[in-house]
Amino acid sequence: HRGAQLPPLPPAAGSRLQWKDAAKPLLALTIPLEALQAVKDRMLQAMRKGLSRQTHAQANVRMLPAYICSTPDGTEKGDILVVELCQSHVRTLRVTLLGDGNQSPQVTYKIFDMPGDITQGKGEALFDFIAQCLRQFLAGISSPQHRLPLGFVFPFSCRQTQLDKAELISWSKGFSCSDVEGKDVVQLLQSAIKKQELHHVDVVALMNDTVGTMMTCSMRGEPCEVALIVGTGTNSCFMAEAQLVEMAEEISGQMCVITEWGCFGDDGTLSDILTPYDQHVDQESFNPGEKRFEKLVGSLYLGEIVRHVLTALVAEKVLFTGRSVAILRTKDVLKTQQVLEIINNEEGMAKARRVLEALGLQPSEQDCCRVQQICRAVVSRAAALCAAGLAAILSHMCQSQELERLVVNVGVDGELYRGYTSVTGLLAPECMATLLPSVDGTGQGAAVVTAVALRLAAQRHEVDQLLAPLQLSRADLERVQALMRREMELGLGLESHANASVRMLPTYVRGTPDGTERGEFLALDLGGTNFRVLVVRVAQDGIRMASEIYVIPTAVMQGTGEALFNHIIECIMDFQLKQNLLEQVLPLGFTFSFPCQQLGLDKAVLLSWTKGFSASGCVGQDVVQLLREAAQRKQHLGLKVVAVVNDTVGTMMSCGYDDPKCEIGLIVGTGTNACYMEEMRNVGTVEGEQGRMCINMEWGAFGDNGCLDDFFTDFDRLVDEKTINAGKQRFEKLISGMYLGEIVRHILLALVEKQLLFRGKPCPKLQTRDIFQTKFLSTIEIDGLALQQVRAILQDLELQASFEDSLLVQKVCQTVSLRAAQLCAAGLAAVVEKMRENRGLAQLAVTVGVDGTLYKMHPRFSQHLQQMLRDLAPNCTVTFLQSEDGSGKGAALVAAVAALLRTSDS
């Protein structure tokens, strides 16, 4: 198959020379496949140029955003008005959609002829005429008085900035009304409609005929994402990812792009395939040098190309020899409709004879045959060029969606579209396109565009209502801050401590590092099935660490306390042996991440095991004492445990070494907690007034006493009920990574139930607990993540999502993670404001050491947290420092600071 290949020429009477002369134009009009491939590649380049903000201004293929963000899903229903401005008339329609998959819309229409002078007169007169037609039409049908949405088909080049906002760039097609170019045509029509006192009619959408074609073809159950018009002129449009359309305001979802490809080649990119016949047609047109692609394929020009070929053959004395052919010098004597009838296999020859005889040309049999060949060559070339353009669109869609194979429906309209999918298949083998002929793209299509816009607006409203309880106002967050402050005071008070939801546990850590710490320390980090032993060397030039990870077998985790602590000591001895430290007695800091009541820096009573541990004889005991007893049993005398800390305090301490202003620790990961340096005089639960002590807030339990009940949504309650500690750690369940995915899942279930997601189809996979990990939330919110990638993430979870579904899932994730970050900020605001007031400062500068996967991995969490904290605590300048190994390095630094404090005390 070689491009627009032609059937062989019939044997002709006459010389071989004459035969060659007759074949010349046919060869010139035949584009080989390699050349069509080059046309496709150039079209792709031109499209990319039009999509990019940098190069858009110089692009010939303009790639205009149409602000249509969805194709129909078949649920659209209601009465829609349509007004279509045509060459010589105005058509008004009322289309009733029944929500039945748009199978059988009811259509009433009327055509009003336009007075001849109106297309050259004042713009106001044109729009007044359109509005009068509309009033007359509504008077003639039983029109309801409720609000009637209207779609306006305006087939001129516009700069559109919303579906209902478009400035006319320039008139064409013989129109030149004054005072319209550069104005918003929707506004002009709406004003004219108001003048006619049609106050219940609202212009909702403006579109051109290409978009309408795509929308009517989408009405048959399967979405149609590309449209092609090849009639008098030619154009195409397709659904693209909005973020690739740099000229559009929208940055999410999909966006229909109108290529305006009729101007392809105006910069000379088609010069190698233009023939002398094309140059003649261009020079005789009213816009020489413009719309070069359209002049090769549009029906306005095909008759003219054929006429110029015939004229050339007459000059070569190959056609109509010896007859008068002056008629062929007359422009437009051959109509494209006649050309299309001549190429018909059955009737074509007879039609050719009739057409040529009507022109007074008295053709021979051979003349008719040659004219038919030429008509076929011109039409085949037009079809092949359109196929190359379509192949460029399909390849662009396939590449931008990162698909191996694209299967797509293409809506087609105009008299010339038939018969070139085979060429598209050769040029874009990775794409499988089905052509769907359009039914009244401008009328019904416009109604569907309007109906889709209304459906999306209604759905947005429903989604907003569902998510509203999760969207916290500034006043809400100030209330949370005040409640946190109150609970902190209660937790610190000797009398009130027992009933406070925020425990405010003293840690007996009395100072943060000041940079003068020196020496070698051991650290032990026990918080799960693995534990680490570290040696930390603190010197003037910084901190160096060596560590080893040891596994705790399940049998040991769940056996006796003696066996567990024996195992830990054996591992410490193994580590010291490897590090050549057995002879030294090093101070040891112990990070123990289980709930404890601390009675001194080196004294912590285990309240309960978690995370799968259940070793007997430990709960209610001092864990440091258990470790010391095991050391004695193993005759390991060089062990000196000086501090036991939790991971939040460790985080503060490890950051405090790098920044002496770090006096707050924050963890936002699987769980959440905070600690900070409080004035001893405010700590009612510990003797002494002087200096400061780090308080482990245990703020995850904030709200367990009911003080946050107003802020819990139904989704939060559903999540809480299913946890192993229902009613406990309520603040943590609004913020930490362990629960956010579950909140998202319950919201998605509610959206499916309301038919707003996954087309309301039941999703068994969504019934599974914990399918959305924190990692999923982080990935789905990455800036600039293409919706195609969001779809892929959802597909991995066996959720078949459309682009709209993907966008909605993204919005839900954003809402849930934003609330988490803002609540965390409200808690932190209470802490920094209390520290500022404690110290009697007008302005506090403080650093927060942070750790946790949600804070570190989520693309937006830290930014939202910091922004809201600035708003809620404007008198505090807060810097955030990410902790590196809080539980290891932090524990060693607690030991180091304790050693320094002991030296200064003695």
Side-chain angles (χ1 to χ4, degrees), residues 357-370:
E357 282 174 352
L359 294 173
L361 289 168
Q362 304 159 357
S364 67
E365 186 71 13
Q366 183 188 307
D367 290 336
C368 294
C369 193
R370 288 208 171 132

Side-chain angles (χ1 to χ4, degrees), residues 121-295:
K122 283 189 170 172
E124 192 179 356
L126 172 68
F127 287 97
D128 284 344
F129 176 73
I130 296 171
Q132 284 156 11
C133 297
L134 189 60
R135 194 184 67 185
Q136 235 176 303
F137 174 64
L138 289 173
I141 57 176
S142 54
S143 137
Q145 279 308 297
H146 62 73
R147 177 178 178 240
L148 276 174
L150 179 140
F152 183 24
V153 183
F154 187 73
F156 300 95
S157 190
C158 288
R159 186 177 296 102
Q160 202 153 350
T161 51
Q162 283 169 31
L163 190 53
D164 60 353
K165 201 173 173 58
E167 288 176 10
L168 174 64
I169 295 172
S170 60
W171 286 115
S172 56
K173 304 175 195 176
F175 277 72
S176 62
C177 301
S178 61
D179 284 336
V180 183
E181 290 182 354
K183 299 258 176 75
D184 178 1
V185 288
V186 173
Q187 204 42 59
L188 294 173
L189 179 60
Q190 191 71 67
S191 306
I193 288 172
K194 276 215 176 97
K195 270 196 237 170
Q196 298 297 322
E197 298 190 346
L198 299 171
H199 298 296
H200 60 304
V201 175
D202 282 337
V203 186
V204 169
L206 175 130
M207 74 227 71
N208 73 5
D209 47 355
T210 319
V211 172
T213 296
M214 184 178 78
M215 289 308 231
T216 50
C217 294
S218 287
M219 285 163 61
R220 302 167 209 172
E222 279 302 306
C224 167
E225 299 197 334
V226 186
L228 196 56
I229 288 193
V230 199
T232 327
T234 181
N235 204 350
S236 55
C237 69
F238 64 98
M239 295 303 281
E241 281 212 27
Q243 62 176 27
L244 300 177
V245 189
E246 294 180 10
M247 298 309 293
E249 304 300 312
E250 314 272 323
I251 50 158
S252 54
Q254 278 186 302
M255 169 73 75
C256 176
V257 176
I258 303 163
T259 62
E260 296 290 346
W261 75 6
C263 299
F264 173 50
D266 288 6
D267 55 357
T269 36
L270 291 175
S271 53
D272 55 342
I273 61 161
L274 294 173
T275 64
Y277 324 115
D278 300 311
Q279 304 291 20
H280 288 308
V281 170
D282 178 54
Q283 282 150 19
E284 289 174 10
S285 68
F286 72 93
N287 55 352
E290 292 173 23
K291 299 252 177 175
R292 295 313 299 260
F293 188 64
E294 189 166 289
K295 285 174 189 166

